[in-house]
Amino acid sequence: MWQLGYFGLAKETDYSVGVTPTVFLPAVSITAQEAAMPQPVAPWGTAGVTIPKFGFDGSFNAEVEVQPNAFGHLMTAVMGQPETLTLGGGAFRHTWTPRPNRPTYTVEMADEVIALRALGGACNALAVDIAPSTRFRAAMAFAARTVEPRARSTTSYHTQEALTWDGVTVQISGATENALTRLSIGLLSYTRPYAAWGNTGRTGSVRFGAQTGLMLTMEMQEISSAWLGRFRDQKEISITATGVGPLLGTSSYQLILDCPRLRLVAATPAVAVRNLPRMIIQGNAVASPGAPRGFSVILVNATASY
């Protein structure tokens, strides 16, 4: 695990054909690996005797700051291309709903000394964490075809810094929720790797599912019988979480989660010695093209397209 490094990425035109990263985010932590998995096979004529084969693949996890311009590339990696509306004054509104086809990325990760490059990066999960007195952070998990060392790149960052917790409002079923102290928005995408021809032992292509799952975790500053009742009655709720940053033209930088139907799956009182009592609420939703129960993520920033 590395601290205070950078995370860079660029969209690939062809799977695992490397391109030079052009978008960078400050990395809080990064972990990368390449593994060999045994894949025994028993060909005809061997009386069931297996011949050891190995499949190779890479993976990496990273936590970065949510800078509102560069963050759209991570959203595209997990949900596909957004619909974009020009607002004027240099502002653009991007709306993500699940797409069956998503791009793969060349990703570069580095600390002050060493850098690694991953080819064929496909995002499996992305979680945005919003906590008091902090900047928004995003943790992500990627599968990759290869991970290998390389020379460090020259980095550049967008001038707009990450969104912060003090610009957040949350509406639950139309009412403002003031007892919320922490919010985690987890997005899960579905990928399936396919082996390559030529006995390379590596992934040759990746297929993406049309669905994206949402797991929402809310931490309340008090134990509430009302929330326990909602959970036990299995009532769906709606939630809109809005993070607002500095002004941008006639608008402002914004990150919005809109989920009209969230199903509660857990309501856990948490009582610990020398700590205030809390309640952890979890809910989930699944979005797919044309699904009646889904969600969308909206980002307002100064980037024209992804």
Side-chain angles (χ1 to χ4, degrees):
M1 181 177 290
W2 301 327
Q3 302 293 330
L4 301 177
Y6 69 80
F7 180 90
L9 74 166
K11 189 184 301 183
E12 295 175 343
T13 302
D14 298 305
Y15 176 70
S16 77
V17 177
V19 290
T20 301
T22 54
V23 176
F24 296 91
L25 295 107
V28 179
S29 64
I30 298 171
T31 304
Q33 69 172 3
E34 188 170 302
M37 300 295 293
Q39 298 177 336
V41 296
W44 288 103
T46 62
V49 177
T50 61
I51 300 175
K53 300 281 186 180
F54 288 88
F56 298 88
D57 59 17
S59 63
F60 57 90
N61 299 284
E63 185 178 6
V64 300
E65 292 184 358
V66 178
Q67 294 183 333
N69 289 298
F71 181 68
H73 293 280
L74 302 182
M75 284 300 311
T76 301
V78 75
M79 291 189 72
Q81 293 294 136
E83 295 182 0
T84 299
L85 176 67
T86 301
L87 301 179
F92 302 88
R93 180 185 176 96
H94 311 280
T95 302
W96 281 271
T97 54
R99 302 284 184 180
N101 296 311
R102 298 189 287 278
T104 59
Y105 290 82
T106 296
V107 176
E108 185 175 310
M109 304 149 282
D111 65 359
E112 294 86 350
V113 179
I114 190 173
L116 293 178
R117 176 171 287 189
L119 302 180
C123 188
N124 296 316
L126 176 68
V128 177
D129 186 59
I130 305 170
S133 303
T134 63
R135 297 179 177 184
F136 287 20
R137 291 183 175 182
M140 71 204 87
F142 276 73
R145 189 171 191 265
T146 60
V147 178
E148 53 196 24
R150 60 152 288 123
R152 285 174 52 89
S153 292
T154 300
T155 60
S156 62
Y157 300 99
H158 288 284
T159 57
Q160 178 55 48
E161 296 184 348
L163 298 172
T164 56
W165 70 282
D166 52 348
V168 177
T169 57
V170 177
Q171 294 275 329
I172 295 179
S173 298
T176 301
E177 179 57 68
N178 294 317
L180 188 65
T181 59
R182 188 166 194 151
L183 179 66
S184 177
I185 302 167
L187 304 174
L188 303 174
S189 66
Y190 304 94
T191 61
R192 177 176 292 179
Y194 286 82
W197 289 102
N199 196 28
T200 65
R202 295 190 181 275
T203 301
S205 62
V206 174
R207 298 292 184 269
F208 295 94
Q211 291 186 341
T212 300
L214 168 69
M215 175 59 75
L216 198 72
T217 302
M218 299 176 284
E219 183 177 310
M220 303 296 180
Q221 64 184 3
E222 58 186 24
I223 297 175
S224 166
S225 58
W227 276 106
L228 284 171
R230 287 170 175 167
F231 166 66
R232 291 166 179 166
D233 294 341
Q234 280 296 282
K235 292 182 178 179
E236 290 183 336
I237 64 171
S238 66
I239 181 168
T240 302
T242 304
V244 179
L247 294 176
L248 174 63
T250 57
S251 184
S252 60
Y253 287 95
Q254 297 180 49
L255 177 61
I256 303 168
L257 168 71
D258 183 31
C259 181
R261 300 179 66 183
L262 184 78
R263 175 74 68 180
L264 299 183
V265 297
T268 307
V271 180
V273 176
R274 297 180 181 176
N275 287 318
L276 293 174
R278 298 169 297 129
M279 174 169 278
I280 310 299
I281 311 295
Q282 291 182 310
N284 62 25
V286 174
S288 59
R293 176 166 162 247
F295 59 92
S296 62
V297 178
I298 300 167
L299 184 62
V300 178
N301 61 18
T303 301
S305 66
Y306 292 100

